[in-house]
Amino acid sequence: MVAHNRDHGALQNWDGKNGNWENAIINKNAPVKNYNFSASGGDKKSSFYASVGYNKTEATVIGSSFKRITAELNYNRDLTKTIKFSTTNNVSNSFQNSFLEQSAYYANPFLAKYFFSPWDHPYNKDGTINISPDLAGFNPLYIVKHNISTNDLTRAISNSFVQWEIIKDLKFKSLISFDYNLASYKEYDNRHYGDGADVNGDAEASTDLNLTMVAQNSLDYTIRYKDNTLDLKVLMEYQKNKDHYLYGYGEQFAADGLTNIANAGANWSATSSYNDWSNLSYLAMANYNYLGKYIADFTFRREGSSRFAPDNRYGNFWAVGAAWNISRESFLSEVKFINMLRLRGSYGLSGSSSIAINSYQALLAYNANYASKSAIYPSQFGSSNLTWEKNKNYDMGIEFILWKNKINGSFSYFHRETYDLLQNVPLSRTTGFSSQTKNSGKVIDRKSVV
């Protein structure tokens, strides 16, 4: 038996002639509330900042709301005259009823005024919600009261480092950072009306836990001689990502008020997965500056990615660049209408590892069912020769500012050649696969920009 919820204030939306769907789905009182508290302090050797914030936002249509709480704690301290410590930490939790007014889902309440005929009424004469099968779709007034669709996201970010000035102008820095994300999703379709009615109610839920860690060590050295400055840096960085995913589904609920998969009576299904990847890179960089007139830099990076086979994991990338600030030359000192005139150019090689995890491996899958027994089958062709996609770039240009910034602009030209493209190449169906990820092809892009 269908439960009809009576809304004693609904009769004002029923005039006997036209159904006022727009008025029925609007949240007439949609406040936004923000509360923030913070404290800061310190002494000659240390400082801190702490804050807590809360936000509650109601949407302009029924069924949607958003809550968020945030906290931040930052602390800096000079441990000695040459050693400094700093940590920055942020944590937040967001909870959202996800019948979004901006989504394109058919159940979006905002779309009711477009989908439903004005001759159909949101409510019946007795104040109950109209769930007649003659409606063009499911009445969102009933759906938002009896269904569940929520997103719960918790995120924590931490960055901490220790810096040691070994000698004057020579600094060592060790940094570690974490980015933790926990996303939970829950949906329940009631067993009386809507998408869940045919299966006596259904529910699904998922949890996705993602953690990224970065560890970095670097040495910085600055050499100064008269009007010349040379900045040198060497750096090692390790990055690791782990992702855990869990999903479940169930149907057939024996009573109202039961919304969790554990209470479902039939058609259960579940899946889980784990993925991880890592990068290791080494960087050397030099930057030269003479009175801000002449600037040159050089960068070399050797990077390895677990997305490639061990023998092809590392790539070497580099870049050189130079700039001439012509406006700082003495022969232009008397030209007052030129505020800035700069000529620049660069040339280098970069790389990309934008492919799915384990693309280089020939894989087997173990999720098949054959005669009620588990079965194994080939799921990926693999390509052990996969390596980095490469981009060879060079550009040159001129920038200017004239008449105290009344006129400014630039002219530039760049040339980009991308080769060893990472892409899915079609295979003969006789192999049992439709495609294989390979390094194949080249793209050249040239452009002048004004």
Side-chain angles (χ1 to χ4, degrees), residues 242-276:
K242 299 189 295 184
D243 187 87
H244 300 260
Y245 179 75
L246 179 65
Y247 170 85
Y249 175 83
E251 299 174 352
Q252 296 293 330
F253 287 82
D256 295 333
L258 305 175
T259 63
N260 292 312
I261 299 172
N263 302 122
N267 295 331
W268 297 285
S269 65
T271 186
S272 66
S273 64
Y274 171 77
N275 291 298
D276 68 336

PDB file of all heavy atoms in Angstrom, residues 242-276:
ATOM      1  N   LYS A 242      47.734   5.846  -3.379  1.00  0.00           N
ATOM      2  CA  LYS A 242      47.002   4.605  -3.122  1.00  0.00           C
ATOM      3  C   LYS A 242      45.503   4.906  -3.153  1.00  0.00           C
ATOM      4  O   LYS A 242      45.063   5.919  -2.606  1.00  0.00           O
ATOM      5  CB  LYS A 242      47.385   4.003  -1.776  1.00  0.00           C
ATOM      6  CG  LYS A 242      48.849   3.632  -1.645  1.00  0.00           C
ATOM      7  CD  LYS A 242      49.126   2.842  -0.372  1.00  0.00           C
ATOM      8  CE  LYS A 242      48.881   3.663   0.870  1.00  0.00           C
ATOM      9  NZ  LYS A 242      49.238   2.918   2.098  1.00  0.00           N
ATOM     10  N   ASP A 243      44.750   4.023  -3.783  1.00  0.00           N
ATOM     11  CA  ASP A 243      43.310   4.225  -3.884  1.00  0.00           C
ATOM     12  C   ASP A 243      42.576   2.914  -3.593  1.00  0.00           C
ATOM     13  O   ASP A 243      42.831   1.888  -4.231  1.00  0.00           O
ATOM     14  CB  ASP A 243      42.935   4.723  -5.293  1.00  0.00           C
ATOM     15  CG  ASP A 243      41.467   5.104  -5.399  1.00  0.00           C
ATOM     16  OD1 ASP A 243      41.147   6.262  -5.087  1.00  0.00           O
ATOM     17  OD2 ASP A 243      40.648   4.243  -5.774  1.00  0.00           O
ATOM     18  N   HIS A 244      41.661   2.957  -2.600  1.00  0.00           N
ATOM     19  CA  HIS A 244      40.825   1.813  -2.240  1.00  0.00           C
ATOM     20  C   HIS A 244      39.368   2.171  -2.571  1.00  0.00           C
ATOM     21  O   HIS A 244      38.884   3.237  -2.175  1.00  0.00           O
ATOM     22  CB  HIS A 244      40.912   1.503  -0.746  1.00  0.00           C
ATOM     23  CG  HIS A 244      42.289   1.162  -0.281  1.00  0.00           C
ATOM     24  ND1 HIS A 244      42.713  -0.134  -0.080  1.00  0.00           N
ATOM     25  CD2 HIS A 244      43.353   1.950   0.031  1.00  0.00           C
ATOM     26  CE1 HIS A 244      43.966  -0.129   0.340  1.00  0.00           C
ATOM     27  NE2 HIS A 244      44.377   1.118   0.411  1.00  0.00           N
ATOM     28  N   TYR A 245      38.678   1.273  -3.253  1.00  0.00           N
ATOM     29  CA  TYR A 245      37.285   1.529  -3.636  1.00  0.00           C
ATOM     30  C   TYR A 245      36.432   0.326  -3.258  1.00  0.00           C
ATOM     31  O   TYR A 245      36.820  -0.833  -3.473  1.00  0.00           O
ATOM     32  CB  TYR A 245      37.184   1.777  -5.140  1.00  0.00           C
ATOM     33  CG  TYR A 245      35.773   2.017  -5.630  1.00  0.00           C
ATOM     34  CD1 TYR A 245      35.133   3.222  -5.389  1.00  0.00           C
ATOM     35  CD2 TYR A 245      35.079   1.035  -6.327  1.00  0.00           C
ATOM     36  CE1 TYR A 245      33.842   3.454  -5.834  1.00  0.00           C
ATOM     37  CE2 TYR A 245      33.785   1.244  -6.782  1.00  0.00           C
ATOM     38  CZ  TYR A 245      33.176   2.462  -6.527  1.00  0.00           C
ATOM     39  OH  TYR A 245      31.889   2.674  -6.961  1.00  0.00           O
ATOM     40  N   LEU A 246      35.252   0.615  -2.680  1.00  0.00           N
ATOM     41  CA  LEU A 246      34.317  -0.441  -2.268  1.00  0.00           C
ATOM     42  C   LEU A 246      32.907  -0.008  -2.643  1.00  0.00           C
ATOM     43  O   LEU A 246      32.509   1.140  -2.400  1.00  0.00           O
ATOM     44  CB  LEU A 246      34.403  -0.661  -0.753  1.00  0.00           C
ATOM     45  CG  LEU A 246      33.476  -1.708  -0.138  1.00  0.00           C
ATOM     46  CD1 LEU A 246      33.819  -3.096  -0.660  1.00  0.00           C
ATOM     47  CD2 LEU A 246      33.565  -1.682   1.388  1.00  0.00           C
ATOM     48  N   TYR A 247      32.134  -0.925  -3.258  1.00  0.00           N
ATOM     49  CA  TYR A 247      30.789  -0.610  -3.717  1.00  0.00           C
ATOM     50  C   TYR A 247      29.863  -1.781  -3.419  1.00  0.00           C
ATOM     51  O   TYR A 247      30.266  -2.952  -3.500  1.00  0.00           O
ATOM     52  CB  TYR A 247      30.784  -0.325  -5.220  1.00  0.00           C
ATOM     53  CG  TYR A 247      29.396  -0.214  -5.822  1.00  0.00           C
ATOM     54  CD1 TYR A 247      28.690   0.992  -5.790  1.00  0.00           C
ATOM     55  CD2 TYR A 247      28.784  -1.317  -6.418  1.00  0.00           C
ATOM     56  CE1 TYR A 247      27.423   1.101  -6.328  1.00  0.00           C
ATOM     57  CE2 TYR A 247      27.519  -1.217  -6.970  1.00  0.00           C
ATOM     58  CZ  TYR A 247      26.835  -0.012  -6.918  1.00  0.00           C
ATOM     59  OH  TYR A 247      25.580   0.090  -7.447  1.00  0.00           O
ATOM     60  N   GLY A 248      28.611  -1.462  -3.058  1.00  0.00           N
ATOM     61  CA  GLY A 248      27.622  -2.498  -2.818  1.00  0.00           C
ATOM     62  C   GLY A 248      26.241  -2.069  -3.276  1.00  0.00           C
ATOM     63  O   GLY A 248      25.939  -0.867  -3.380  1.00  0.00           O
ATOM     64  N   TYR A 249      25.376  -3.071  -3.567  1.00  0.00           N
ATOM     65  CA  TYR A 249      24.024  -2.811  -4.060  1.00  0.00           C
ATOM     66  C   TYR A 249      23.099  -3.921  -3.566  1.00  0.00           C
ATOM     67  O   TYR A 249      23.516  -5.076  -3.406  1.00  0.00           O
ATOM     68  CB  TYR A 249      24.010  -2.767  -5.586  1.00  0.00           C
ATOM     69  CG  TYR A 249      22.639  -2.633  -6.205  1.00  0.00           C
ATOM     70  CD1 TYR A 249      22.030  -1.391  -6.341  1.00  0.00           C
ATOM     71  CD2 TYR A 249      21.950  -3.768  -6.641  1.00  0.00           C
ATOM     72  CE1 TYR A 249      20.765  -1.274  -6.908  1.00  0.00           C
ATOM     73  CE2 TYR A 249      20.686  -3.657  -7.216  1.00  0.00           C
ATOM     74  CZ  TYR A 249      20.099  -2.403  -7.342  1.00  0.00           C
ATOM     75  OH  TYR A 249      18.848  -2.286  -7.894  1.00  0.00           O
ATOM     76  N   GLY A 250      21.828  -3.561  -3.325  1.00  0.00           N
ATOM     77  CA  GLY A 250      20.843  -4.555  -2.924  1.00  0.00           C
ATOM     78  C   GLY A 250      19.425  -4.084  -3.203  1.00  0.00           C
ATOM     79  O   GLY A 250      19.166  -2.876  -3.337  1.00  0.00           O
ATOM     80  N   GLU A 251      18.491  -5.047  -3.316  1.00  0.00           N
ATOM     81  CA  GLU A 251      17.080  -4.771  -3.587  1.00  0.00           C
ATOM     82  C   GLU A 251      16.188  -5.523  -2.595  1.00  0.00           C
ATOM     83  O   GLU A 251      16.653  -6.343  -1.817  1.00  0.00           O
ATOM     84  CB  GLU A 251      16.724  -5.207  -5.008  1.00  0.00           C
ATOM     85  CG  GLU A 251      17.485  -4.503  -6.107  1.00  0.00           C
ATOM     86  CD  GLU A 251      17.196  -5.086  -7.486  1.00  0.00           C
ATOM     87  OE1 GLU A 251      16.517  -6.147  -7.548  1.00  0.00           O
ATOM     88  OE2 GLU A 251      17.632  -4.498  -8.477  1.00  0.00           O
ATOM     89  N   GLN A 252      14.900  -5.196  -2.674  1.00  0.00           N
ATOM     90  CA  GLN A 252      13.868  -5.876  -1.895  1.00  0.00           C
ATOM     91  C   GLN A 252      13.983  -5.564  -0.391  1.00  0.00           C
ATOM     92  O   GLN A 252      14.682  -6.225   0.367  1.00  0.00           O
ATOM     93  CB  GLN A 252      13.906  -7.397  -2.116  1.00  0.00           C
ATOM     94  CG  GLN A 252      13.607  -7.835  -3.534  1.00  0.00           C
ATOM     95  CD  GLN A 252      12.163  -7.550  -3.932  1.00  0.00           C
ATOM     96  OE1 GLN A 252      11.250  -7.542  -3.098  1.00  0.00           O
ATOM     97  NE2 GLN A 252      11.945  -7.324  -5.223  1.00  0.00           N
ATOM     98  N   PHE A 253      13.256  -4.523   0.007  1.00  0.00           N
ATOM     99  CA  PHE A 253      13.213  -4.121   1.410  1.00  0.00           C
ATOM    100  C   PHE A 253      11.850  -4.474   1.998  1.00  0.00           C
ATOM    101  O   PHE A 253      10.812  -4.186   1.406  1.00  0.00           O
ATOM    102  CB  PHE A 253      13.486  -2.626   1.542  1.00  0.00           C
ATOM    103  CG  PHE A 253      14.927  -2.266   1.300  1.00  0.00           C
ATOM    104  CD1 PHE A 253      15.416  -2.112   0.012  1.00  0.00           C
ATOM    105  CD2 PHE A 253      15.799  -2.102   2.357  1.00  0.00           C
ATOM    106  CE1 PHE A 253      16.744  -1.799  -0.224  1.00  0.00           C
ATOM    107  CE2 PHE A 253      17.139  -1.789   2.147  1.00  0.00           C
ATOM    108  CZ  PHE A 253      17.610  -1.636   0.847  1.00  0.00           C
ATOM    109  N   ALA A 254      11.879  -5.092   3.172  1.00  0.00           N
ATOM    110  CA  ALA A 254      10.658  -5.630   3.770  1.00  0.00           C
ATOM    111  C   ALA A 254       9.807  -4.575   4.454  1.00  0.00           C
ATOM    112  O   ALA A 254       8.603  -4.786   4.659  1.00  0.00           O
ATOM    113  CB  ALA A 254      11.012  -6.732   4.777  1.00  0.00           C
ATOM    114  N   ALA A 255      10.373  -3.445   4.809  1.00  0.00           N
ATOM    115  CA  ALA A 255       9.616  -2.427   5.547  1.00  0.00           C
ATOM    116  C   ALA A 255      10.195  -1.062   5.256  1.00  0.00           C
ATOM    117  O   ALA A 255      11.360  -0.926   4.853  1.00  0.00           O
ATOM    118  CB  ALA A 255       9.653  -2.727   7.048  1.00  0.00           C
ATOM    119  N   ASP A 256       9.365  -0.038   5.479  1.00  0.00           N
ATOM    120  CA  ASP A 256       9.842   1.329   5.335  1.00  0.00           C
ATOM    121  C   ASP A 256      10.809   1.655   6.470  1.00  0.00           C
ATOM    122  O   ASP A 256      10.738   1.086   7.557  1.00  0.00           O
ATOM    123  CB  ASP A 256       8.660   2.302   5.366  1.00  0.00           C
ATOM    124  CG  ASP A 256       7.737   2.125   4.182  1.00  0.00           C
ATOM    125  OD1 ASP A 256       8.227   1.661   3.129  1.00  0.00           O
ATOM    126  OD2 ASP A 256       6.534   2.436   4.306  1.00  0.00           O
ATOM    127  N   GLY A 257      11.695   2.612   6.221  1.00  0.00           N
ATOM    128  CA  GLY A 257      12.662   3.010   7.230  1.00  0.00           C
ATOM    129  C   GLY A 257      13.966   2.242   7.156  1.00  0.00           C
ATOM    130  O   GLY A 257      14.941   2.615   7.804  1.00  0.00           O
ATOM    131  N   LEU A 258      14.000   1.151   6.388  1.00  0.00           N
ATOM    132  CA  LEU A 258      15.232   0.393   6.190  1.00  0.00           C
ATOM    133  C   LEU A 258      15.900   0.892   4.910  1.00  0.00           C
ATOM    134  O   LEU A 258      15.333   0.780   3.822  1.00  0.00           O
ATOM    135  CB  LEU A 258      14.932  -1.102   6.084  1.00  0.00           C
ATOM    136  CG  LEU A 258      14.151  -1.717   7.255  1.00  0.00           C
ATOM    137  CD1 LEU A 258      13.815  -3.174   6.969  1.00  0.00           C
ATOM    138  CD2 LEU A 258      14.947  -1.586   8.547  1.00  0.00           C
ATOM    139  N   THR A 259      17.096   1.423   5.032  1.00  0.00           N
ATOM    140  CA  THR A 259      17.739   2.063   3.869  1.00  0.00           C
ATOM    141  C   THR A 259      19.142   1.544   3.594  1.00  0.00           C
ATOM    142  O   THR A 259      19.745   1.948   2.606  1.00  0.00           O
ATOM    143  CB  THR A 259      17.808   3.588   4.072  1.00  0.00           C
ATOM    144  OG1 THR A 259      18.631   3.883   5.211  1.00  0.00           O
ATOM    145  CG2 THR A 259      16.416   4.187   4.280  1.00  0.00           C
ATOM    146  N   ASN A 260      19.666   0.663   4.442  1.00  0.00           N
ATOM    147  CA  ASN A 260      21.019   0.167   4.247  1.00  0.00           C
ATOM    148  C   ASN A 260      21.021  -1.159   3.489  1.00  0.00           C
ATOM    149  O   ASN A 260      20.070  -1.948   3.576  1.00  0.00           O
ATOM    150  CB  ASN A 260      21.724  -0.015   5.597  1.00  0.00           C
ATOM    151  CG  ASN A 260      21.995   1.309   6.280  1.00  0.00           C
ATOM    152  OD1 ASN A 260      22.510   2.245   5.668  1.00  0.00           O
ATOM    153  ND2 ASN A 260      21.633   1.411   7.551  1.00  0.00           N
ATOM    154  N   ILE A 261      22.105  -1.424   2.776  1.00  0.00           N
ATOM    155  CA  ILE A 261      22.201  -2.628   1.958  1.00  0.00           C
ATOM    156  C   ILE A 261      22.061  -3.888   2.809  1.00  0.00           C
ATOM    157  O   ILE A 261      21.539  -4.910   2.345  1.00  0.00           O
ATOM    158  CB  ILE A 261      23.539  -2.633   1.190  1.00  0.00           C
ATOM    159  CG1 ILE A 261      23.606  -1.418   0.252  1.00  0.00           C
ATOM    160  CG2 ILE A 261      23.718  -3.910   0.381  1.00  0.00           C
ATOM    161  CD1 ILE A 261      24.947  -1.223  -0.400  1.00  0.00           C
ATOM    162  N   ALA A 262      22.494  -3.839   4.049  1.00  0.00           N
ATOM    163  CA  ALA A 262      22.399  -5.006   4.934  1.00  0.00           C
ATOM    164  C   ALA A 262      20.955  -5.458   5.129  1.00  0.00           C
ATOM    165  O   ALA A 262      20.704  -6.623   5.474  1.00  0.00           O
ATOM    166  CB  ALA A 262      23.028  -4.687   6.287  1.00  0.00           C
ATOM    167  N   ASN A 263      19.974  -4.564   4.921  1.00  0.00           N
ATOM    168  CA  ASN A 263      18.569  -4.903   5.096  1.00  0.00           C
ATOM    169  C   ASN A 263      17.895  -5.336   3.797  1.00  0.00           C
ATOM    170  O   ASN A 263      16.705  -5.651   3.787  1.00  0.00           O
ATOM    171  CB  ASN A 263      17.797  -3.707   5.677  1.00  0.00           C
ATOM    172  CG  ASN A 263      18.368  -3.238   7.008  1.00  0.00           C
ATOM    173  OD1 ASN A 263      18.750  -2.086   7.148  1.00  0.00           O
ATOM    174  ND2 ASN A 263      18.434  -4.143   7.982  1.00  0.00           N
ATOM    175  N   ALA A 264      18.647  -5.321   2.688  1.00  0.00           N
ATOM    176  CA  ALA A 264      18.087  -5.771   1.416  1.00  0.00           C
ATOM    177  C   ALA A 264      17.907  -7.279   1.426  1.00  0.00           C
ATOM    178  O   ALA A 264      18.658  -8.017   2.088  1.00  0.00           O
ATOM    179  CB  ALA A 264      18.987  -5.349   0.263  1.00  0.00           C
ATOM    180  N   GLY A 265      16.910  -7.746   0.680  1.00  0.00           N
ATOM    181  CA  GLY A 265      16.602  -9.170   0.706  1.00  0.00           C
ATOM    182  C   GLY A 265      17.033  -9.942  -0.514  1.00  0.00           C
ATOM    183  O   GLY A 265      16.990 -11.175  -0.519  1.00  0.00           O
ATOM    184  N   ALA A 266      17.462  -9.268  -1.590  1.00  0.00           N
ATOM    185  CA  ALA A 266      17.784  -9.997  -2.815  1.00  0.00           C
ATOM    186  C   ALA A 266      18.688  -9.159  -3.714  1.00  0.00           C
ATOM    187  O   ALA A 266      18.851  -7.949  -3.522  1.00  0.00           O
ATOM    188  CB  ALA A 266      16.504 -10.369  -3.565  1.00  0.00           C
ATOM    189  N   ASN A 267      19.217  -9.842  -4.724  1.00  0.00           N
ATOM    190  CA  ASN A 267      20.012  -9.220  -5.788  1.00  0.00           C
ATOM    191  C   ASN A 267      21.158  -8.366  -5.253  1.00  0.00           C
ATOM    192  O   ASN A 267      21.402  -7.256  -5.714  1.00  0.00           O
ATOM    193  CB  ASN A 267      19.109  -8.377  -6.698  1.00  0.00           C
ATOM    194  CG  ASN A 267      18.109  -9.228  -7.444  1.00  0.00           C
ATOM    195  OD1 ASN A 267      18.366 -10.398  -7.731  1.00  0.00           O
ATOM    196  ND2 ASN A 267      16.954  -8.654  -7.745  1.00  0.00           N
ATOM    197  N   TRP A 268      21.862  -8.936  -4.291  1.00  0.00           N
ATOM    198  CA  TRP A 268      23.035  -8.224  -3.792  1.00  0.00           C
ATOM    199  C   TRP A 268      24.157  -8.273  -4.825  1.00  0.00           C
ATOM    200  O   TRP A 268      24.302  -9.242  -5.561  1.00  0.00           O
ATOM    201  CB  TRP A 268      23.553  -8.875  -2.499  1.00  0.00           C
ATOM    202  CG  TRP A 268      22.613  -8.842  -1.357  1.00  0.00           C
ATOM    203  CD1 TRP A 268      22.288  -7.775  -0.560  1.00  0.00           C
ATOM    204  CD2 TRP A 268      21.852  -9.941  -0.850  1.00  0.00           C
ATOM    205  NE1 TRP A 268      21.383  -8.132   0.399  1.00  0.00           N
ATOM    206  CE2 TRP A 268      21.101  -9.470   0.252  1.00  0.00           C
ATOM    207  CE3 TRP A 268      21.732 -11.283  -1.208  1.00  0.00           C
ATOM    208  CZ2 TRP A 268      20.237 -10.285   0.979  1.00  0.00           C
ATOM    209  CZ3 TRP A 268      20.883 -12.103  -0.481  1.00  0.00           C
ATOM    210  CH2 TRP A 268      20.149 -11.598   0.602  1.00  0.00           C
ATOM    211  N   SER A 269      24.937  -7.240  -4.847  1.00  0.00           N
ATOM    212  CA  SER A 269      26.159  -7.246  -5.648  1.00  0.00           C
ATOM    213  C   SER A 269      27.173  -6.345  -4.962  1.00  0.00           C
ATOM    214  O   SER A 269      26.807  -5.411  -4.235  1.00  0.00           O
ATOM    215  CB  SER A 269      25.907  -6.758  -7.077  1.00  0.00           C
ATOM    216  OG  SER A 269      25.510  -5.390  -7.082  1.00  0.00           O
ATOM    217  N   ALA A 270      28.419  -6.667  -5.160  1.00  0.00           N
ATOM    218  CA  ALA A 270      29.484  -5.883  -4.526  1.00  0.00           C
ATOM    219  C   ALA A 270      30.746  -5.967  -5.363  1.00  0.00           C
ATOM    220  O   ALA A 270      30.961  -6.929  -6.109  1.00  0.00           O
ATOM    221  CB  ALA A 270      29.752  -6.396  -3.112  1.00  0.00           C
ATOM    222  N   THR A 271      31.575  -4.947  -5.248  1.00  0.00           N
ATOM    223  CA  THR A 271      32.870  -4.961  -5.914  1.00  0.00           C
ATOM    224  C   THR A 271      33.836  -4.112  -5.106  1.00  0.00           C
ATOM    225  O   THR A 271      33.420  -3.243  -4.322  1.00  0.00           O
ATOM    226  CB  THR A 271      32.774  -4.422  -7.357  1.00  0.00           C
ATOM    227  OG1 THR A 271      34.034  -4.583  -8.004  1.00  0.00           O
ATOM    228  CG2 THR A 271      32.415  -2.939  -7.359  1.00  0.00           C
ATOM    229  N   SER A 272      35.105  -4.388  -5.266  1.00  0.00           N
ATOM    230  CA  SER A 272      36.135  -3.581  -4.616  1.00  0.00           C
ATOM    231  C   SER A 272      37.364  -3.571  -5.508  1.00  0.00           C
ATOM    232  O   SER A 272      37.547  -4.452  -6.359  1.00  0.00           O
ATOM    233  CB  SER A 272      36.490  -4.138  -3.234  1.00  0.00           C
ATOM    234  OG  SER A 272      37.104  -5.409  -3.348  1.00  0.00           O
ATOM    235  N   SER A 273      38.205  -2.576  -5.334  1.00  0.00           N
ATOM    236  CA  SER A 273      39.420  -2.490  -6.135  1.00  0.00           C
ATOM    237  C   SER A 273      40.492  -1.744  -5.353  1.00  0.00           C
ATOM    238  O   SER A 273      40.203  -1.002  -4.408  1.00  0.00           O
ATOM    239  CB  SER A 273      39.152  -1.779  -7.468  1.00  0.00           C
ATOM    240  OG  SER A 273      38.757  -0.428  -7.245  1.00  0.00           O
ATOM    241  N   TYR A 274      41.731  -1.971  -5.779  1.00  0.00           N
ATOM    242  CA  TYR A 274      42.873  -1.263  -5.191  1.00  0.00           C
ATOM    243  C   TYR A 274      43.837  -0.908  -6.319  1.00  0.00           C
ATOM    244  O   TYR A 274      44.168  -1.753  -7.152  1.00  0.00           O
ATOM    245  CB  TYR A 274      43.587  -2.128  -4.154  1.00  0.00           C
ATOM    246  CG  TYR A 274      44.892  -1.525  -3.680  1.00  0.00           C
ATOM    247  CD1 TYR A 274      44.897  -0.481  -2.767  1.00  0.00           C
ATOM    248  CD2 TYR A 274      46.118  -1.981  -4.170  1.00  0.00           C
ATOM    249  CE1 TYR A 274      46.084   0.085  -2.339  1.00  0.00           C
ATOM    250  CE2 TYR A 274      47.310  -1.420  -3.758  1.00  0.00           C
ATOM    251  CZ  TYR A 274      47.287  -0.387  -2.833  1.00  0.00           C
ATOM    252  OH  TYR A 274      48.461   0.179  -2.422  1.00  0.00           O
ATOM    253  N   ASN A 275      44.262   0.335  -6.360  1.00  0.00           N
ATOM    254  CA  ASN A 275      45.238   0.790  -7.349  1.00  0.00           C
ATOM    255  C   ASN A 275      46.296   1.631  -6.659  1.00  0.00           C
ATOM    256  O   ASN A 275      45.994   2.344  -5.682  1.00  0.00           O
ATOM    257  CB  ASN A 275      44.571   1.638  -8.441  1.00  0.00           C
ATOM    258  CG  ASN A 275      43.662   0.829  -9.331  1.00  0.00           C
ATOM    259  OD1 ASN A 275      44.100  -0.084 -10.018  1.00  0.00           O
ATOM    260  ND2 ASN A 275      42.378   1.146  -9.324  1.00  0.00           N
ATOM    261  N   ASP A 276      47.508   1.564  -7.151  1.00  0.00           N
ATOM    262  CA  ASP A 276      48.550   2.441  -6.638  1.00  0.00           C
ATOM    263  C   ASP A 276      49.546   2.762  -7.750  1.00  0.00           C
ATOM    264  O   ASP A 276      49.664   2.031  -8.730  1.00  0.00           O
ATOM    265  CB  ASP A 276      49.257   1.832  -5.420  1.00  0.00           C
ATOM    266  CG  ASP A 276      50.072   0.602  -5.791  1.00  0.00           C
ATOM    267  OD1 ASP A 276      49.756  -0.035  -6.814  1.00  0.00           O
ATOM    268  OD2 ASP A 276      51.021   0.270  -5.061  1.00  0.00           O
TER     269      ASP A 276
END
